[in-house]
């Protein structure tokens, strides 16, 4: 909203007070004064570049309002959509022209209120409505995971229907995807690729938290003729903070709930040539029974390393085939040697206990293995293997800025009242 005060009019009121005494109340309502009456209809004094009738305005073109004829000036313009959101704009110093400085939304209805002033200082007004044409290219967003309860390591994901490459367009997407947590956290989005974003906090989510994800992208211009579409909101919660730390050097797994140790389990991890990946992994799914074959991980059938085994109580942590599972055939090595093909194996009783204790999103961390490090993306959720500074660099909004919770992050992460 723009205001240009008219000091001439105010000063005139002051002079009336000095010279006319009680009659100076004419500034507020005496008959015949140009400011005392109802604002006149300024329809003939301003023009708008929006089409008339049922025609729709092009949302790719800025809105412009111009004072006509030279006998009036624009003093104020307010443009709002049906939801009450204001369209930013700029008024020329001489009041001759106002134009929008933010893009119009596609498929939206706007109300325009224009205030004017003629040469005598009398106020005029004009109000009109117009609609913008619907979007031609719709950017849909699928939020994940599905609604439910998860472990504190579960990232929020956003899958886009079209690639978004430019930093400015990515910033629009990030601003439009709102994440609110109770208790409040510091967090941000990270662009995995042109069509995928992940959101995580600086640290793991708080235990027993409520997380809501919503969008304000509907109708908003993202890029060249690409507009956001409606996005189904998402609500998830977290349970207790459950962490399992598998030490390939000591051949034991320690399980903690909310920071307190609740069980230590003898395990075996990957043997040389098949070493388990080091790093933080997140439980992806649980399968009570899986048929595991060496051919699925590139081991030739009939070779000395081939296998085809029925596996029970399998908790998956990578898409490439790492599980925590029952391995009754290796009980003699559990707690003393690493003999698996990359999974964390344990007795059937311990595997059943672990299977019942964990949920999707819980944390499994492998340390002291001879294996490679867990990839951040592409083989499950390795998001937590990036430190916070590295994670922030993947954001179009806060990447390259000083670490800390700035105004943008604070505006996007608010606790529930």
């Amino acid at each position: 909203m723009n205001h240009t005060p008219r000091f001439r009019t105010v000063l005139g009121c002051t002079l009336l007070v000095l010279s006319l005494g009680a009659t100076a109340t004419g500034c507020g309502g005496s008959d015949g004064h140009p400011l005392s009456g109802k604002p006149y209809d300024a329809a003939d004094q301003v023009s708008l570049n929006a089409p008339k009738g049922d025609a729709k305005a092009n949302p790719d073109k800025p809105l412009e309002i111009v004072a006509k004829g030279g006998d009036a000036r624009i003093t104020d313009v307010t443009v709002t959509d049906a939801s009450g959101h204001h369209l930013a704009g700029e008024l020329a110093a001489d009041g001759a022209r106002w134009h929008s400085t933010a893009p119009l939304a596609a498929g939206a209805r706007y109300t325009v209120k224009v205030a004017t002033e003629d040469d005598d200082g009398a106020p005029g007004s004009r109000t009109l409505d117009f609609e913008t044409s619907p979007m031609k290219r719709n950017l849909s967003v699928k939020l994940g995971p599905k609604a439910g309860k998860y472990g504190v390591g579960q990232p929020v994901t956003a899958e886009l229907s079209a690639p978004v490459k430019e930093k400015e367009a990515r910033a629009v997407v990030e601003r439009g995807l709102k994440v609110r947590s109770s208790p409040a956290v510091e967090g941000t989005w990270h662009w995995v690729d042109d069509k995928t974003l992940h959101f995580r906090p600086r640290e793991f989510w708080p235990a027993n938290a409520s997380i809501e994800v919503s969008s304000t992208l509907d109708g908003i211009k993202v890029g060249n003729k690409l507009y956001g579409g409606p996005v189904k909101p998402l609500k998830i919660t977290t349970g207790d903070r459950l962490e399992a730390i598998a030490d390939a050097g000591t051949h034991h797994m320690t399980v903690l709930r909310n920071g307190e140790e609740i069980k230590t389990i003898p395990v075996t991890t990957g043997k040389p040539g098949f070493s388990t990946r080091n790093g933080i992994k997140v439980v992806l799914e649980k399968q009570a029974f899986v048929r595991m074959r060496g051919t699925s991980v590139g081991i030739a059938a009939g070779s000395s390393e081939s296998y085809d085994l029925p596996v029970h109580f399998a908790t998956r942590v990578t898409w490439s085939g790492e599980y925590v599972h029952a391995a009754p055939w290796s009980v003699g090595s559990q707690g003393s040697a690493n003999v698996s093909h990359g999974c964390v194996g344990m007795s059937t009783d311990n595997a059943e206990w672990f299977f019942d204790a964990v949920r999707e999103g819980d944390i499994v961390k492998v340390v002291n293995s001879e294996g490679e490090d867990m990839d951040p993306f592409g083989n499950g959720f390795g998001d937590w293997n990036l430190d916070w500074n590295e994670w922030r660099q993947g954001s179009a909004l806060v990447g390259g800025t000083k670490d800390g919770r700035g105004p943008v992050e604070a505006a996007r992460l608010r606790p529930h009242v």
Side-chain angles (χ1 to χ4, degrees):
M1 189 180 298
N2 299 278
H3 298 277
T4 304
R6 298 287 285 176
F7 294 106
R8 171 178 55 78
T9 302
V10 176
L11 190 58
C13 287
T14 305
L15 292 174
L16 282 172
V17 171
L18 294 175
S19 61
L20 300 179
T23 62
T25 56
C27 275
S30 71
D31 294 339
H33 193 278
L35 298 182
S36 65
K38 182 180 179 181
Y40 63 84
D41 185 358
D44 294 335
Q45 293 181 330
V46 293
S47 65
L48 180 71
N49 67 337
K52 298 179 180 179
D54 295 333
K56 304 287 194 287
N58 184 349
D60 288 329
K61 294 183 178 180
L63 184 65
E64 184 177 68
I65 302 168
V66 177
K68 300 188 299 184
D71 57 349
R73 61 190 295 274
I74 300 169
T75 58
D76 188 56
V77 175
T78 302
V79 184
T80 55
D81 64 16
S83 300
H85 298 128
H86 287 254
L87 180 69
E90 185 176 85
L91 179 62
D94 60 1
R97 175 179 175 269
W98 180 97
H99 70 280
S100 59
T101 56
L104 293 162
R109 183 176 182 83
Y110 286 94
T111 297
V112 182
K113 295 182 179 180
V114 184
T116 65
E117 183 180 79
D118 67 13
D119 289 339
D120 296 323
S125 67
R126 184 187 184 193
T127 300
L128 55 87
D129 298 318
F130 72 94
E131 295 183 21
T132 55
S133 57
M135 62 200 77
K136 295 181 180 179
R137 292 181 61 207
N138 184 354
L139 180 71
S140 62
V141 182
K142 181 180 180 182
L143 298 174
K146 64 182 181 180
K149 180 176 281 191
Y150 293 86
V152 299
Q154 178 67 46
V156 173
T157 63
E159 298 291 336
L160 310 183
S161 61
V164 176
K165 299 180 180 181
E166 295 76 16
K167 183 177 180 180
E168 295 79 6
R170 288 185 170 191
V172 172
V173 172
E174 285 189 50
R175 289 191 192 97
L177 296 176
K178 312 291 185 180
V179 181
R180 291 177 173 85
S181 169
S182 178
V185 297
E186 177 185 0
T188 191
W189 290 99
H190 183 107
W191 287 81
V192 177
D193 55 44
D194 293 342
K195 297 176 68 175
T196 309
L197 297 86
H198 287 187
F199 185 101
R200 51 153 273 208
R202 177 191 284 265
E203 306 293 343
F204 298 128
W205 295 104
N208 304 305
S210 177
I211 302 150
E212 294 186 4
V213 191
S214 59
S215 169
T216 58
L217 284 173
D218 193 12
I220 300 301
K221 185 176 183 179
V222 175
N224 183 27
K225 298 182 179 180
L226 180 65
Y227 288 81
V231 178
K232 183 179 179 181
L234 170 68
K235 181 176 181 179
I236 62 173
T237 57
T238 61
D240 289 339
R241 175 169 172 157
L242 195 140
E243 304 167 76
I245 304 172
D247 190 329
T250 65
H251 316 292
H252 282 80
M253 171 184 279
T254 303
V255 183
L256 301 95
R257 178 177 283 121
N258 298 324
E260 294 188 5
E261 182 178 330
I262 58 173
K263 195 174 183 68
T264 299
I265 301 171
V267 298
T268 182
T269 64
K271 61 186 176 181
F274 299 92
S275 297
T276 308
R277 293 173 180 82
N278 280 298
I280 301 171
K281 304 157 192 176
V282 172
V283 173
L284 301 174
E285 62 180 351
K286 300 195 301 180
Q287 297 168 276
F289 174 81
V290 179
R291 192 83 189 183
M292 293 190 179
R293 297 176 174 87
T295 52
S296 64
V297 292
I299 299 174
S303 68
S304 60
E305 295 293 348
S306 68
Y307 57 88
D308 185 347
L309 296 168
V311 176
H312 297 274
F313 305 116
T315 300
R316 182 190 282 269
V317 292
T318 74
W319 295 123
S320 63
E322 283 190 23
Y323 289 82
V324 178
H325 64 75
W329 54 85
S330 65
V331 168
S333 299
Q334 293 164 16
S336 59
N338 293 322
V339 297
S340 83
H341 286 88
C343 293
V344 177
M346 57 187 65
S347 71
T348 300
D349 286 346
N350 284 330
E352 183 177 10
W353 177 89
F354 185 78
F355 187 90
D356 292 339
V358 299
R359 59 168 50 94
E360 286 184 44
D362 281 333
I363 302 152
V364 175
K365 184 177 181 179
V366 176
V367 298
N368 298 321
S369 172
E370 298 296 327
E372 300 177 352
D373 292 336
M374 174 68 176
D375 291 332
F377 310 109
N379 193 19
F381 294 127
D383 305 47
W384 303 100
N385 295 292
L386 294 179
D387 67 30
W388 182 237
N389 286 329
E390 290 175 310
W391 184 264
R392 294 178 80 254
Q393 297 314 305
S395 166
L397 289 178
V398 301
T401 64
K402 185 178 179 181
D403 185 16
R405 185 172 174 178
V408 172
E409 290 167 298
R412 290 166 52 245
L413 289 168
R414 302 185 182 94
H416 289 292
V417 177

